[in-house]
Amino acid sequence: MSNIELPNGAPGLDAEELEALVDSVRGVCARVWPDATASATGDLAELWTAAVRQGWTELGSPELLTAAIAIQAELGRHAAPLPIVDIFLASLVAQLHGDDALVAAIADGSVRPVVAHPLNAGNSQRGVVRHVEAATIATHILIAHPGNNSLGWHSLSDAEVTPLEGMAVPSWSQVRVLSEPEWSVPLSDFPDFLRIRRIGLAARATAAVARTHEYALEHANQRKQFGKLIGSFQAVSHRLVNSAITLTAAEELLGHIGELYAAQDPAWVLASEIYIEYIEEKLPSIQFDSHHTLAAIGYFDESAAPWLFRRAHADLAQLAAIASDHSVGEYLLDS
C-alpha cells in the first residue's frame, strides 16, 4: 500500500513458491470443492477451515499480497467464493492497528472477517450493507465507507444477516449491524484498501472465465459436426484464439502488477487500474464466446459453465459497485 513500507528482506513469494501455493489450493479444492458445480451444495465453512489448516489466513503482511491474490484466483476456477483477499485486508488492518490478538484470531479461524461497502450510501438505510460475501459463516465484518473516510469493525453476533437471491451462488447477504463499530480507523490510512480488493475480485473473475474457456476448448477438440471437429471451423477457432489472447494479456498484466508492487514502484497503482479496466471491458465477451462454443451443454446445471458464469458476473458486479472515481484515461489526462 502507498503508505506501508515492505519489510526489509521479505520480498514475498517467488514464482516457484507461488506455483507450489496454487498447487496446494488445487489439492484442497479437489477434496472440498472439486469444481464449479459444487457452488450450490458446497460447504464454504469447511473450505474456510481447510484454509486455516493450510495457512491461507496468515497472509496479513504487505509482501504477501500476491499470495492472497493467487489463492483467490485459483478458487475462482472452482467458483468458490472464499474471501481470501478480505481476510488478508482485515488481518493487515488489524496488524497496523496494533491488535496482535485479532491477527492471531483471524489466523486460527476463530475470527472470520468479510469486507463490505455501503452501496448508494446516500439512499441506503443506516447500518445496512448489501451483497456481502460469505456473511452467513463470518463472525465479523469490516465496513469500508469512503464517504465517511472510515473502516469500521463490527461483530456479526448481534447483526441481522439475510441471504439474498440473485446472481451469486453461494448467496450474497444483506447485513444490518445493530451497534456502533468495536473500533474504527480512517480509510485514508489505507489508501489502496479498495484497490486491492478490486484486484482480488478481478483476478477471481478472470480465473472463472478462463476455466470456462478451457471447457470450451476441450469441447471444440471433441465435438464433431458434419464429420469434423468443431474446433476446425473458422468461426469457432477465431473465438477460441481471441479469448486465449485476451486471457494471456490479463495474466501478464496481473503479473506485472505483482512485480511493481514487490519493487515498491508507485507505478503499480496505474498498472492496477489498467488491469481492472481491461478486465471489466473484456471478460463478458469471453464468457459469452465460451458459452457460444459450448452450446446447449453449457446451460445445464450439471455443467460447470453456468456456475462459473455466475461467479464471474457476480464479481464484475461488485467491481462496478466499488469502481474508481476516475477512468485510466481521465487519470492520465489529469496527471
Side-chain angles (χ1 to χ4, degrees), residues 225-314:
Q225 286 185 344
F226 311 111
K228 294 183 178 180
L229 292 171
I230 64 171
S232 66
F233 300 149
Q234 188 178 70
V236 175
S237 63
H238 281 190
R239 283 199 302 269
L240 292 169
V241 169
N242 288 341
S243 295
I245 291 170
T246 302
L247 290 168
T248 299
E251 182 180 355
E252 293 297 320
L253 285 169
L254 183 58
H256 185 53
I257 292 170
E259 292 171 358
L260 292 173
Y261 181 85
Q264 302 185 59
D265 188 332
W268 89 275
V269 173
L270 178 58
S272 299
E273 295 301 326
I274 291 172
Y275 168 71
I276 293 167
E277 195 167 301
Y278 183 78
I279 293 307
E280 291 177 315
E281 178 183 346
K282 299 295 186 181
L283 285 196
S285 62
I286 300 176
Q287 188 73 23
F288 175 83
D289 286 347
S290 296
H291 277 276
H292 193 174
T293 299
L294 288 166
I297 68 168
Y299 293 89
F300 289 94
D301 286 350
E302 292 80 4
S303 166
W307 305 106
L308 291 164
F309 177 97
R310 285 176 174 272
R311 180 72 270 138
H313 282 277

Coordinates of all heavy atoms in Angstrom, one line a residue, residues 225-314:
Q225 N -19.2 -32.1 -35.9 CA -20.3 -31.8 -36.7 C -19.9 -32.0 -38.2 O -18.8 -31.6 -38.5 CB -20.9 -30.4 -36.4 CG -21.6 -30.3 -35.1 CD -22.2 -28.9 -34.9 OE1 -21.9 -28.0 -35.6 NE2 -23.2 -28.8 -34.0
F226 N -20.8 -32.6 -39.0 CA -20.5 -32.8 -40.4 C -19.2 -33.5 -40.6 O -18.5 -33.3 -41.5 CB -20.4 -31.4 -41.1 CG -21.6 -30.5 -40.9 CD1 -21.4 -29.3 -40.2 CD2 -22.9 -30.9 -41.3 CE1 -22.5 -28.5 -39.9 CE2 -24.0 -30.0 -41.0 CZ -23.8 -28.8 -40.3
G227 N -18.9 -34.4 -39.6 CA -17.7 -35.3 -39.7 C -16.4 -34.6 -39.4 O -15.4 -35.2 -39.5
K228 N -16.5 -33.4 -38.8 CA -15.3 -32.6 -38.5 C -15.4 -32.1 -37.0 O -16.5 -31.8 -36.5 CB -15.1 -31.5 -39.4 CG -14.8 -31.8 -40.9 CD -14.5 -30.6 -41.7 CE -14.2 -30.9 -43.1 NZ -13.9 -29.7 -43.9
L229 N -14.2 -32.0 -36.4 CA -14.2 -31.4 -35.1 C -14.6 -29.9 -35.2 O -14.2 -29.2 -36.2 CB -12.8 -31.4 -34.5 CG -12.3 -32.8 -34.1 CD1 -10.8 -32.7 -33.7 CD2 -13.1 -33.3 -32.9
I230 N -15.5 -29.4 -34.3 CA -16.0 -28.1 -34.5 C -14.8 -27.1 -34.3 O -14.9 -25.9 -34.8 CB -17.1 -27.8 -33.5 CG1 -16.6 -27.8 -32.0 CG2 -18.3 -28.7 -33.7 CD1 -17.7 -27.3 -31.1
G231 N -13.8 -27.5 -33.6 CA -12.6 -26.5 -33.5 C -11.9 -26.2 -34.8 O -11.2 -25.3 -34.9
S232 N -12.2 -27.0 -35.8 CA -11.6 -26.8 -37.1 C -12.4 -25.7 -37.9 O -11.9 -25.2 -39.0 CB -11.5 -28.1 -38.0 OG -12.8 -28.5 -38.3
F233 N -13.6 -25.4 -37.5 CA -14.4 -24.4 -38.1 C -13.8 -23.0 -37.8 O -13.5 -22.7 -36.6 CB -15.9 -24.5 -37.7 CG -16.5 -25.8 -38.1 CD1 -17.5 -26.3 -37.3 CD2 -16.1 -26.5 -39.1 CE1 -18.1 -27.5 -37.5 CE2 -16.7 -27.7 -39.4 CZ -17.7 -28.2 -38.6
Q234 N -13.8 -22.1 -38.8 CA -13.1 -20.8 -38.6 C -13.8 -20.0 -37.5 O -13.1 -19.4 -36.7 CB -13.1 -20.1 -39.9 CG -12.3 -18.8 -39.9 CD -12.3 -18.1 -41.3 OE1 -13.3 -17.6 -41.7 NE2 -11.1 -18.1 -41.9
A235 N -15.1 -20.0 -37.5 CA -15.8 -19.1 -36.5 C -15.4 -19.6 -35.1 O -15.2 -18.7 -34.2 CB -17.3 -19.2 -36.7
V236 N -15.4 -20.9 -34.9 CA -15.1 -21.4 -33.5 C -13.6 -21.1 -33.2 O -13.3 -20.7 -32.1 CB -15.4 -22.9 -33.5 CG1 -15.0 -23.5 -32.1 CG2 -16.9 -23.2 -33.7
S237 N -12.7 -21.4 -34.1 CA -11.3 -21.3 -33.8 C -11.0 -19.8 -33.6 O -10.1 -19.5 -32.7 CB -10.5 -21.8 -35.0 OG -10.7 -21.1 -36.2
H238 N -11.6 -18.9 -34.3 CA -11.3 -17.5 -34.1 C -11.7 -17.0 -32.7 O -11.0 -16.3 -32.0 CB -12.0 -16.6 -35.2 CG -11.3 -16.6 -36.5 ND1 -11.6 -15.8 -37.5 CD2 -10.2 -17.4 -36.9 CE1 -10.8 -16.0 -38.5 NE2 -10.0 -16.9 -38.2
R239 N -12.9 -17.5 -32.3 CA -13.4 -17.2 -30.9 C -12.4 -17.7 -29.9 O -12.1 -17.0 -28.9 CB -14.8 -17.8 -30.6 CG -15.9 -17.1 -31.3 CD -17.2 -17.5 -30.6 NE -17.5 -18.9 -30.6 CZ -18.2 -19.5 -31.6 NH1 -18.7 -18.8 -32.6 NH2 -18.4 -20.8 -31.5
L240 N -12.0 -18.9 -30.0 CA -11.1 -19.5 -29.1 C -9.7 -18.8 -29.0 O -9.2 -18.5 -27.9 CB -10.9 -21.0 -29.4 CG -12.1 -21.9 -29.2 CD1 -11.9 -23.3 -29.8 CD2 -12.4 -22.0 -27.7
V241 N -9.2 -18.5 -30.2 CA -7.9 -17.8 -30.2 C -8.0 -16.4 -29.6 O -7.1 -16.0 -28.9 CB -7.4 -17.8 -31.7 CG1 -6.2 -16.8 -31.8 CG2 -7.0 -19.2 -32.1
N242 N -9.0 -15.7 -30.0 CA -9.2 -14.3 -29.5 C -9.3 -14.3 -27.9 O -8.7 -13.5 -27.2 CB -10.4 -13.6 -30.1 CG -10.2 -13.3 -31.5 OD1 -9.1 -13.2 -32.0 ND2 -11.3 -13.1 -32.3
S243 N -10.0 -15.3 -27.4 CA -10.2 -15.4 -26.0 C -8.8 -15.7 -25.3 O -8.5 -15.2 -24.3 CB -11.2 -16.5 -25.6 OG -12.5 -16.1 -26.1
A244 N -8.1 -16.7 -25.9 CA -6.8 -17.0 -25.4 C -5.8 -15.8 -25.3 O -5.1 -15.7 -24.4 CB -6.2 -18.2 -26.2
I245 N -5.9 -15.0 -26.4 CA -5.0 -13.8 -26.4 C -5.4 -12.9 -25.3 O -4.5 -12.4 -24.6 CB -5.1 -13.1 -27.8 CG1 -4.5 -14.0 -28.9 CG2 -4.4 -11.8 -27.7 CD1 -4.7 -13.5 -30.3
T246 N -6.7 -12.6 -25.1 CA -7.1 -11.7 -24.1 C -6.8 -12.2 -22.7 O -6.3 -11.5 -21.8 CB -8.6 -11.5 -24.2 OG1 -8.9 -11.0 -25.5 CG2 -9.1 -10.5 -23.2
L247 N -7.0 -13.5 -22.5 CA -6.7 -14.1 -21.1 C -5.2 -14.1 -20.8 O -4.8 -13.8 -19.7 CB -7.3 -15.5 -21.0 CG -8.8 -15.6 -21.0 CD1 -9.3 -17.0 -21.2 CD2 -9.3 -15.0 -19.7
T248 N -4.4 -14.3 -21.9 CA -2.9 -14.2 -21.7 C -2.5 -12.8 -21.3 O -1.7 -12.6 -20.4 CB -2.2 -14.7 -22.9 OG1 -2.6 -16.1 -23.2 CG2 -0.7 -14.6 -22.8
A249 N -3.1 -11.8 -22.0 CA -2.8 -10.4 -21.7 C -3.2 -10.1 -20.3 O -2.4 -9.4 -19.5 CB -3.5 -9.5 -22.7
A250 N -4.3 -10.6 -19.8 CA -4.8 -10.3 -18.4 C -3.8 -11.0 -17.4 O -3.5 -10.3 -16.4 CB -6.2 -10.9 -18.2
E251 N -3.3 -12.2 -17.7 CA -2.4 -12.8 -16.8 C -1.1 -12.1 -16.8 O -0.5 -11.9 -15.7 CB -2.1 -14.2 -17.4 CG -1.2 -15.1 -16.5 CD -0.9 -16.5 -17.0 OE1 -1.6 -16.8 -18.0 OE2 -0.1 -17.2 -16.4
E252 N -0.6 -11.6 -17.9 CA 0.6 -10.8 -17.9 C 0.5 -9.5 -17.2 O 1.4 -9.0 -16.4 CB 1.1 -10.5 -19.3 CG 1.5 -11.8 -20.1 CD 2.7 -12.4 -19.5 OE1 3.6 -11.7 -19.0 OE2 2.7 -13.7 -19.4
L253 N -0.7 -8.8 -17.3 CA -0.9 -7.6 -16.6 C -0.9 -7.8 -15.1 O -0.4 -7.0 -14.4 CB -2.3 -7.0 -17.1 CG -2.3 -6.3 -18.4 CD1 -3.8 -6.0 -18.8 CD2 -1.5 -5.0 -18.5
L254 N -1.6 -8.9 -14.7 CA -1.6 -9.1 -13.2 C -0.2 -9.4 -12.7 O 0.2 -9.0 -11.6 CB -2.5 -10.3 -12.9 CG -2.7 -10.7 -11.5 CD1 -3.3 -9.5 -10.7 CD2 -3.7 -11.9 -11.3
G255 N 0.6 -10.2 -13.5 CA 2.0 -10.5 -13.1 C 2.8 -9.2 -13.0 O 3.6 -9.1 -12.1
H256 N 2.5 -8.3 -13.9 CA 3.3 -7.0 -13.9 C 2.9 -6.2 -12.7 O 3.8 -5.6 -12.0 CB 2.9 -6.2 -15.2 CG 3.7 -4.9 -15.3 ND1 5.1 -4.9 -15.3 CD2 3.3 -3.7 -15.5 CE1 5.5 -3.7 -15.5 NE2 4.4 -2.9 -15.6
I257 N 1.7 -6.2 -12.2 CA 1.3 -5.5 -11.0 C 2.1 -6.1 -9.8 O 2.6 -5.3 -9.0 CB -0.2 -5.7 -10.7 CG1 -1.0 -5.0 -11.8 CG2 -0.6 -5.2 -9.3 CD1 -2.5 -5.3 -11.7
G258 N 2.2 -7.4 -9.8 CA 2.9 -8.0 -8.7 C 4.4 -7.6 -8.6 O 4.9 -7.4 -7.6
E259 N 5.0 -7.6 -9.8 CA 6.4 -7.2 -9.9 C 6.6 -5.7 -9.4 O 7.5 -5.4 -8.7 CB 6.9 -7.3 -11.3 CG 7.0 -8.8 -11.8 CD 7.2 -8.9 -13.3 OE1 7.3 -7.8 -14.0 OE2 7.3 -10.0 -13.8
L260 N 5.7 -4.8 -9.9 CA 5.8 -3.4 -9.5 C 5.6 -3.3 -8.0 O 6.3 -2.5 -7.3 CB 4.8 -2.6 -10.3 CG 5.1 -2.4 -11.8 CD1 3.9 -1.7 -12.5 CD2 6.4 -1.7 -12.1
Y261 N 4.6 -4.0 -7.5 CA 4.3 -3.9 -6.1 C 5.5 -4.4 -5.2 O 5.8 -3.7 -4.2 CB 3.0 -4.7 -5.8 CG 2.6 -4.7 -4.3 CD1 1.8 -3.6 -3.9 CD2 3.0 -5.7 -3.4 CE1 1.4 -3.6 -2.5 CE2 2.5 -5.6 -2.1 CZ 1.8 -4.6 -1.7 OH 1.4 -4.6 -0.4
A262 N 6.0 -5.5 -5.6 CA 7.2 -6.0 -4.9 C 8.4 -5.1 -4.9 O 9.1 -5.0 -3.9 CB 7.6 -7.4 -5.4
A263 N 8.5 -4.4 -6.0 CA 9.6 -3.4 -6.1 C 9.3 -2.1 -5.5 O 10.1 -1.2 -5.5 CB 10.0 -3.2 -7.6
Q264 N 8.1 -2.0 -4.9 CA 7.7 -0.7 -4.2 C 7.7 0.4 -5.3 O 8.0 1.6 -4.9 CB 8.5 -0.3 -3.0 CG 8.5 -1.4 -2.0 CD 9.3 -1.0 -0.7 OE1 8.9 0.0 -0.1 NE2 10.3 -1.8 -0.4
D265 N 7.3 0.1 -6.5 CA 7.3 1.1 -7.6 C 5.9 1.7 -7.6 O 4.9 1.0 -7.7 CB 7.5 0.4 -8.9 CG 7.7 1.4 -10.1 OD1 7.1 2.5 -10.0 OD2 8.4 1.0 -11.0
P266 N 5.8 3.0 -7.4 CA 4.4 3.7 -7.4 C 3.6 3.4 -8.7 O 2.4 3.6 -8.6 CB 4.8 5.2 -7.2 CG 6.1 5.2 -6.6 CD 6.9 4.0 -7.2
A267 N 4.3 3.0 -9.7 CA 3.6 2.7 -11.0 C 2.6 1.6 -10.8 O 1.8 1.3 -11.7 CB 4.6 2.5 -12.1
W268 N 2.7 0.8 -9.7 CA 1.8 -0.3 -9.6 C 0.4 0.1 -9.5 O -0.6 -0.6 -9.9 CB 2.2 -1.1 -8.3 CG 1.6 -0.7 -7.0 CD1 2.0 0.2 -6.2 CD2 0.4 -1.3 -6.5 NE1 1.1 0.3 -5.1 CE2 0.1 -0.6 -5.2 CE3 -0.5 -2.3 -6.9 CZ2 -0.9 -0.9 -4.4 CZ3 -1.6 -2.5 -6.0 CH2 -1.8 -1.8 -4.8
V269 N 0.1 1.4 -9.0 CA -1.2 1.9 -8.9 C -1.9 2.1 -10.2 O -3.0 1.6 -10.5 CB -1.2 3.2 -8.1 CG1 -2.6 3.9 -8.1 CG2 -0.7 3.0 -6.7
L270 N -1.2 2.7 -11.2 CA -1.7 2.9 -12.5 C -1.8 1.5 -13.2 O -2.8 1.3 -13.9 CB -0.7 3.8 -13.3 CG -1.1 4.0 -14.8 CD1 -2.5 4.6 -14.9 CD2 -0.1 4.9 -15.5
A271 N -0.8 0.6 -13.0 CA -0.9 -0.7 -13.6 C -2.1 -1.5 -13.1 O -2.8 -2.2 -13.9 CB 0.4 -1.5 -13.3
S272 N -2.5 -1.3 -11.9 CA -3.6 -1.9 -11.3 C -4.9 -1.4 -11.9 O -5.8 -2.2 -12.3 CB -3.7 -1.7 -9.8 OG -2.6 -2.2 -9.1
E273 N -5.0 -0.1 -12.1 CA -6.2 0.4 -12.7 C -6.4 0.0 -14.2 O -7.5 -0.2 -14.7 CB -6.2 2.0 -12.6 CG -6.3 2.5 -11.1 CD -7.6 2.0 -10.4 OE1 -8.6 1.8 -11.1 OE2 -7.5 1.7 -9.2
I274 N -5.2 -0.1 -14.9 CA -5.3 -0.5 -16.3 C -5.8 -2.0 -16.3 O -6.6 -2.3 -17.1 CB -3.9 -0.5 -16.9 CG1 -3.5 1.0 -17.1 CG2 -3.8 -1.2 -18.2 CD1 -2.1 1.2 -17.6
Y275 N -5.3 -2.8 -15.4 CA -5.7 -4.2 -15.3 C -7.2 -4.3 -15.1 O -7.9 -5.0 -15.8 CB -4.9 -4.9 -14.3 CG -5.4 -6.3 -13.9 CD1 -5.3 -7.4 -14.8 CD2 -6.0 -6.5 -12.7 CE1 -5.7 -8.6 -14.4 CE2 -6.5 -7.8 -12.3 CZ -6.3 -8.8 -13.2 OH -6.8 -10.1 -12.8
I276 N -7.7 -3.6 -14.1 CA -9.1 -3.7 -13.7 C -10.0 -3.2 -14.8 O -11.0 -3.9 -15.1 CB -9.3 -2.9 -12.4 CG1 -8.6 -3.6 -11.2 CG2 -10.8 -2.9 -12.1 CD1 -8.5 -2.7 -10.0
E277 N -9.6 -2.1 -15.4 CA -10.4 -1.6 -16.5 C -10.5 -2.6 -17.7 O -11.5 -2.8 -18.3 CB -9.9 -0.2 -16.9 CG -10.9 0.6 -17.8 CD -10.5 2.0 -17.9 OE1 -10.4 2.7 -16.9 OE2 -10.3 2.5 -19.0
Y278 N -9.3 -3.2 -18.0 CA -9.2 -4.2 -19.0 C -10.1 -5.4 -18.7 O -10.9 -5.9 -19.6 CB -7.8 -4.6 -19.2 CG -7.5 -5.6 -20.3 CD1 -7.4 -5.1 -21.6 CD2 -7.3 -6.9 -20.0 CE1 -7.1 -6.0 -22.6 CE2 -7.0 -7.8 -21.1 CZ -6.9 -7.4 -22.4 OH -6.6 -8.2 -23.4
I279 N -10.1 -5.8 -17.5 CA -10.9 -7.0 -17.1 C -12.4 -6.7 -17.3 O -13.2 -7.5 -17.8 CB -10.6 -7.4 -15.6 CG1 -9.2 -7.9 -15.5 CG2 -11.6 -8.4 -15.1 CD1 -8.9 -9.0 -16.5
E280 N -12.8 -5.5 -16.8 CA -14.2 -5.1 -16.8 C -14.7 -5.1 -18.3 O -15.9 -5.4 -18.5 CB -14.4 -3.8 -16.1 CG -14.2 -3.8 -14.6 CD -14.4 -2.5 -14.0 OE1 -13.8 -1.5 -14.5 OE2 -15.0 -2.4 -12.9
E281 N -13.9 -4.6 -19.2 CA -14.3 -4.5 -20.6 C -14.3 -5.8 -21.3 O -15.2 -6.1 -22.1 CB -13.3 -3.5 -21.3 CG -13.6 -3.4 -22.7 CD -12.6 -2.5 -23.5 OE1 -11.8 -1.8 -22.8 OE2 -12.6 -2.5 -24.7
K282 N -13.3 -6.7 -21.0 CA -13.1 -7.9 -21.9 C -13.8 -9.1 -21.4 O -14.1 -10.0 -22.2 CB -11.6 -8.2 -22.0 CG -10.8 -7.0 -22.6 CD -11.1 -6.8 -24.1 CE -10.2 -5.8 -24.8 NZ -10.6 -5.6 -26.2
L283 N -13.9 -9.3 -20.1 CA -14.4 -10.6 -19.6 C -15.8 -11.0 -20.1 O -16.0 -12.2 -20.5 CB -14.4 -10.7 -18.1 CG -13.0 -10.8 -17.4 CD1 -13.2 -11.2 -15.9 CD2 -12.1 -11.8 -18.1
P284 N -16.8 -10.1 -20.1 CA -18.1 -10.6 -20.5 C -18.2 -11.2 -21.9 O -18.8 -12.2 -22.1 CB -19.0 -9.3 -20.4 CG -18.3 -8.4 -19.4 CD -16.8 -8.7 -19.6
S285 N -17.4 -10.6 -22.8 CA -17.4 -11.2 -24.2 C -16.8 -12.5 -24.3 O -17.2 -13.4 -25.0 CB -16.8 -10.2 -25.2 OG -15.4 -10.0 -24.8
I286 N -15.7 -12.8 -23.5 CA -15.1 -14.1 -23.4 C -16.0 -15.1 -22.9 O -16.1 -16.2 -23.4 CB -13.8 -14.0 -22.6 CG1 -12.8 -13.0 -23.2 CG2 -13.1 -15.4 -22.6 CD1 -11.5 -12.9 -22.4
Q287 N -16.7 -14.8 -21.8 CA -17.6 -15.7 -21.2 C -18.7 -16.1 -22.2 O -19.1 -17.2 -22.4 CB -18.2 -15.1 -19.9 CG -19.1 -16.1 -19.1 CD -18.3 -17.2 -18.4 OE1 -17.1 -17.0 -18.2 NE2 -18.9 -18.3 -18.1
F288 N -19.2 -15.0 -22.9 CA -20.3 -15.3 -23.9 C -19.7 -16.2 -25.0 O -20.4 -17.1 -25.5 CB -20.7 -13.9 -24.5 CG -21.7 -14.1 -25.6 CD1 -23.0 -14.2 -25.4 CD2 -21.3 -14.0 -27.0 CE1 -24.0 -14.3 -26.4 CE2 -22.2 -14.2 -28.0 CZ -23.5 -14.3 -27.7
D289 N -18.5 -15.9 -25.5 CA -18.0 -16.7 -26.6 C -17.8 -18.2 -26.2 O -18.0 -19.1 -27.0 CB -16.7 -16.1 -27.1 CG -16.8 -14.9 -27.9 OD1 -18.0 -14.6 -28.3 OD2 -15.8 -14.2 -28.1
S290 N -17.4 -18.4 -24.9 CA -17.2 -19.7 -24.4 C -18.5 -20.5 -24.4 O -18.6 -21.6 -24.8 CB -16.6 -19.7 -23.0 OG -15.3 -19.2 -23.1
H291 N -19.6 -19.8 -23.9 CA -20.9 -20.4 -23.9 C -21.4 -20.7 -25.3 O -22.1 -21.7 -25.6 CB -21.9 -19.5 -23.2 CG -21.9 -19.7 -21.7 ND1 -22.6 -20.7 -21.0 CD2 -21.2 -19.1 -20.7 CE1 -22.3 -20.7 -19.7 NE2 -21.5 -19.7 -19.5
H292 N -21.1 -19.8 -26.2 CA -21.4 -20.0 -27.6 C -20.8 -21.3 -28.2 O -21.5 -22.0 -28.9 CB -21.0 -18.8 -28.4 CG -21.5 -18.7 -29.8 ND1 -21.3 -17.6 -30.7 CD2 -22.3 -19.5 -30.5 CE1 -21.9 -17.8 -31.8 NE2 -22.5 -19.0 -31.8
T293 N -19.6 -21.5 -27.9 CA -18.9 -22.7 -28.3 C -19.4 -23.9 -27.6 O -19.6 -25.0 -28.3 CB -17.4 -22.6 -28.0 OG1 -16.8 -21.5 -28.8 CG2 -16.6 -23.9 -28.5
L294 N -19.7 -23.9 -26.3 CA -20.2 -25.0 -25.6 C -21.7 -25.3 -26.0 O -22.1 -26.5 -25.9 CB -20.2 -24.7 -24.1 CG -18.8 -24.7 -23.4 CD1 -18.9 -24.1 -22.1 CD2 -18.3 -26.1 -23.3
A295 N -22.4 -24.3 -26.5 CA -23.8 -24.5 -27.0 C -24.6 -25.0 -25.8 O -24.4 -24.6 -24.7 CB -23.8 -25.4 -28.2
A296 N -25.5 -26.0 -26.1 CA -26.5 -26.4 -25.1 C -25.9 -26.9 -23.8 O -26.5 -26.7 -22.7 CB -27.5 -27.4 -25.7
I297 N -24.8 -27.6 -23.9 CA -24.3 -28.3 -22.7 C -23.8 -27.2 -21.7 O -23.7 -27.6 -20.5 CB -23.1 -29.3 -23.0 CG1 -21.9 -28.5 -23.5 CG2 -23.6 -30.3 -24.0 CD1 -20.7 -29.4 -23.5
G298 N -23.6 -26.0 -22.1 CA -23.1 -25.0 -21.2 C -24.2 -24.3 -20.4 O -23.9 -23.4 -19.7
Y299 N -25.4 -24.7 -20.6 CA -26.5 -24.1 -19.9 C -27.3 -25.0 -18.9 O -28.2 -24.5 -18.3 CB -27.5 -23.6 -21.0 CG -27.0 -22.5 -21.8 CD1 -26.3 -22.8 -23.0 CD2 -27.1 -21.1 -21.4 CE1 -25.7 -21.7 -23.8 CE2 -26.5 -20.1 -22.2 CZ -25.8 -20.4 -23.4 OH -25.2 -19.4 -24.1
F300 N -26.8 -26.2 -18.8 CA -27.4 -27.1 -17.8 C -26.6 -27.0 -16.5 O -25.3 -26.9 -16.5 CB -27.4 -28.5 -18.3 CG -28.4 -28.7 -19.4 CD1 -28.1 -28.6 -20.7 CD2 -29.7 -29.0 -19.1 CE1 -29.0 -28.8 -21.7 CE2 -30.7 -29.2 -20.1 CZ -30.3 -29.1 -21.4
D301 N -27.3 -27.1 -15.3 CA -26.6 -27.0 -14.1 C -25.6 -28.1 -13.8 O -24.7 -28.0 -13.0 CB -27.6 -27.0 -12.9 CG -28.4 -25.7 -12.8 OD1 -27.9 -24.7 -13.5 OD2 -29.4 -25.6 -12.1
E302 N -25.7 -29.3 -14.5 CA -24.7 -30.3 -14.4 C -23.4 -29.9 -15.0 O -22.4 -30.5 -14.6 CB -25.2 -31.6 -15.1 CG -26.5 -32.2 -14.5 CD -27.8 -31.6 -14.9 OE1 -27.7 -30.6 -15.7 OE2 -28.8 -32.0 -14.4
S303 N -23.4 -28.9 -15.8 CA -22.1 -28.4 -16.3 C -21.5 -27.3 -15.4 O -22.3 -26.6 -14.7 CB -22.4 -27.7 -17.7 OG -21.3 -27.0 -18.1
A304 N -20.2 -27.2 -15.4 CA -19.6 -26.1 -14.5 C -19.8 -24.7 -15.1 O -19.7 -23.8 -14.4 CB -18.1 -26.4 -14.4
A305 N -20.1 -24.7 -16.4 CA -20.1 -23.3 -17.1 C -21.1 -22.4 -16.4 O -20.8 -21.2 -16.2 CB -20.4 -23.5 -18.5
P306 N -22.4 -22.8 -16.2 CA -23.3 -21.8 -15.6 C -22.9 -21.3 -14.2 O -23.1 -20.1 -13.9 CB -24.6 -22.6 -15.4 CG -24.5 -23.7 -16.4 CD -23.0 -24.1 -16.4
W307 N -22.2 -22.1 -13.4 CA -21.7 -21.7 -12.1 C -20.5 -20.7 -12.2 O -20.4 -19.8 -11.5 CB -21.4 -22.9 -11.3 CG -22.6 -23.8 -11.2 CD1 -22.7 -25.1 -11.8 CD2 -23.8 -23.6 -10.5 NE1 -23.9 -25.6 -11.5 CE2 -24.6 -24.8 -10.7 CE3 -24.3 -22.6 -9.7 CZ2 -25.9 -24.9 -10.2 CZ3 -25.5 -22.7 -9.1 CH2 -26.3 -23.9 -9.4
L308 N -19.7 -21.0 -13.2 CA -18.6 -20.1 -13.5 C -19.1 -18.7 -14.0 O -18.6 -17.7 -13.7 CB -17.6 -20.7 -14.5 CG -16.8 -21.9 -13.9 CD1 -16.2 -22.7 -15.1 CD2 -15.8 -21.4 -13.0
F309 N -20.2 -18.8 -14.8 CA -20.8 -17.6 -15.3 C -21.3 -16.7 -14.1 O -21.1 -15.5 -14.1 CB -22.0 -18.0 -16.2 CG -22.8 -16.8 -16.7 CD1 -22.6 -16.3 -18.0 CD2 -23.8 -16.2 -15.9 CE1 -23.4 -15.2 -18.5 CE2 -24.6 -15.2 -16.4 CZ -24.3 -14.7 -17.7
R310 N -22.0 -17.4 -13.2 CA -22.5 -16.7 -12.0 C -21.3 -16.1 -11.2 O -21.4 -14.9 -10.8 CB -23.2 -17.6 -11.1 CG -24.6 -18.0 -11.6 CD -25.3 -19.0 -10.7 NE -26.7 -19.3 -11.1 CZ -27.7 -18.6 -10.6 NH1 -27.5 -17.6 -9.8 NH2 -28.9 -19.0 -11.0
R311 N -20.2 -16.8 -11.0 CA -19.1 -16.3 -10.2 C -18.5 -15.1 -10.9 O -18.2 -14.1 -10.3 CB -18.1 -17.5 -10.1 CG -16.8 -17.1 -9.3 CD -17.1 -17.0 -7.9 NE -17.5 -15.6 -7.4 CZ -18.4 -15.4 -6.5 NH1 -19.1 -16.4 -6.0 NH2 -18.7 -14.2 -6.2
A312 N -18.2 -15.2 -12.2 CA -17.6 -14.1 -12.9 C -18.4 -12.9 -12.9 O -17.9 -11.8 -12.6 CB -17.3 -14.5 -14.4
H313 N -19.7 -13.0 -13.2 CA -20.6 -11.8 -13.3 C -20.9 -11.2 -11.9 O -21.1 -10.0 -11.8 CB -21.8 -12.1 -14.1 CG -21.6 -12.2 -15.6 ND1 -21.6 -11.0 -16.4 CD2 -21.3 -13.2 -16.4 CE1 -21.3 -11.4 -17.6 NE2 -21.1 -12.7 -17.7
A314 N -20.9 -12.1 -10.9 CA -21.1 -11.5 -9.5 C -19.9 -10.7 -9.2 O -20.0 -9.6 -8.6 CB -21.3 -12.7 -8.5

